Amino acid sequence: MSAVLRTTTPPVEAAAGHRLPLRRFARNRLAVAGLAAVILFLLFCFVGPLLHSTDQTHTDLTQVNLAPNGSHWLGTDAVGHDELGRLMYGGKVSLLVGLAAGILATVIGTLWGAVAGYAGGWIDAVMMRVVDAGIAIPALFILLVVSAITTPDTLGLIVVLGLVSWLVPSRLIRAETLTLKNRDYVLTLRAIGGTHGRAIARHILPNSVSTIVVAATFQVADAILLVAYVSYLGLGVQPPSTDWGGMLSAGLTAAYSGRWWLIVPPGLAIILVVCAFNAIGDGLRDAFDVKGRG
């Protein structure tokens, strides 16, 4: 009987342990609202164009600067593009760049931080000085320089954002690794001849998953803001492509003429999406009991 209990109890406890963070997250109403908002925006940007088909490539000078009406629910812009369709089209670029760049930054930062924390000594010192030097340079400044040198497309923005945004996640994962590498299961693996790579892949990274997930959520929000900044300054994706930041930049002068529909919708979309991702990140941090570290 005792043998049966020993073999059946751990899986039950493990399953309960995996469900507990989900229950904590579900009790956080703000985090659940943020998740619902992100899902709605994803449906709006990726499914919406299938239901509301518009031409976002060619101009239509007979439909310029129309106020919201029955045919164009959010009006049209200075070249006749339907603003609702453009909001979907621009949101697709903003969300795609934000999600991909956030994930890329988290992957790079996770690997860098795990190696630095696990190796320790002079390797850790050198790697973290690189991080400190990178953090000292504002990411927006780097983006502006790169955008001024070259004309970035969607893939280029993802790569550049990922390469300038991995620094903070690397510090978080390094701190987690410094704690985990002295645990009994890691020391036991090393004692029986396990490699450093196996220790990181089998124990360090799986046990850092909560920190990684929380860091990725905040990185996505930061990436969406960064691409909006760059596009607002006219250095983001080039026409006919656009994103929410580019729409803000294009509609800024029109807003002074009373054409509010060119600036309010993309501005609200950026605010709501960034707040939603931050709410999800806060909810995940509380659910996993991950304390703020930096």
Side-chain angles (χ1 to χ4, degrees):
M1 177 65 72
S2 61
V4 173
L5 289 176
R6 283 195 299 270
T7 58
T8 58
T9 301
V12 174
E13 292 176 351
H18 287 302
R19 288 195 299 267
L20 184 58
L22 295 178
R23 292 175 180 174
R24 289 176 179 170
F25 182 86
R27 288 197 296 265
N28 189 321
R29 295 182 179 179
L30 186 59
V32 172
L35 179 60
V38 169
I39 293 174
L40 288 176
F41 270 105
L42 289 173
L43 292 174
F44 174 76
C45 295
F46 289 90
V47 180
L50 301 177
L51 305 177
H52 182 72
S53 179
T54 59
D55 185 356
Q56 296 297 323
T57 303
H58 301 92
T59 60
D60 186 357
L61 299 182
T62 64
Q63 302 290 319
V64 172
N65 294 325
L66 296 179
N69 55 63
S71 301
H72 304 282
W73 292 1
L74 290 181
T76 62
D77 63 10
V79 294
H81 290 147
D82 180 82
E83 190 70 2
L84 178 58
R86 199 140 187 90
L87 192 67
M88 297 175 182
Y89 184 75
K92 184 186 299 185
V93 175
S94 292
L95 291 174
L96 178 63
V97 172
L99 287 167
I103 293 173
L104 177 61
T106 304
V107 170
I108 297 173
T110 296
L111 295 176
W112 189 277
V115 171
Y118 186 83
W122 67 269
I123 297 178
D124 179 36
V126 171
M127 295 179 71
M128 296 316 296
R129 295 302 74 76
V130 172
V131 172
D132 293 339
I135 290 177
I137 305 174
L140 183 57
F141 174 76
I142 299 175
L143 284 172
L144 292 177
V145 171
V146 172
S147 298
I149 295 174
T150 182
T151 302
D153 55 5
T154 301
L155 179 59
L157 274 178
I158 291 172
V159 173
V160 173
L161 283 170
L163 293 178
V164 302
S165 303
W166 60 272
L167 303 168
V168 173
S170 70
R171 298 184 69 177
L172 294 174
I173 302 304
R174 171 185 176 269
E176 192 77 12
T177 303
L178 290 175
T179 301
L180 294 173
K181 73 176 185 177
N182 293 319
R183 298 287 177 87
D184 290 340
Y185 46 81
V186 177
L187 296 176
T188 301
L189 176 64
R190 296 293 300 125
I192 61 176
T195 63
H196 297 303
R198 183 178 179 85
I200 293 175
R202 295 295 299 274
H203 294 296
I204 301 296
L205 294 182
N207 284 284
S208 302
V209 66
S210 58
T211 303
I212 295 171
V213 170
V214 173
T217 306
F218 288 118
Q219 286 303 309
V220 170
D222 290 344
I224 292 174
L225 274 179
L226 281 173
V227 72
Y229 294 155
V230 175
S231 297
Y232 178 78
L233 296 174
L235 299 173
V237 293
Q238 300 301 306
S241 298
T242 190
D243 55 59
W244 287 335
M247 293 177 67
L248 277 178
S249 179
L252 183 60
T253 55
Y256 294 114
S257 303
R259 294 192 289 273
W260 57 267
W261 59 88
L262 298 180
I263 194 170
V264 172
L268 285 177
I270 294 172
I271 293 172
L272 290 175
V273 166
V274 171
C275 288
F277 274 108
N278 283 329
I280 294 172
D282 288 334
L284 290 172
R285 182 178 58 198
D286 294 340
F288 287 117
D289 286 330
V290 179
K291 306 300 181 182
R293 297 185 287 270

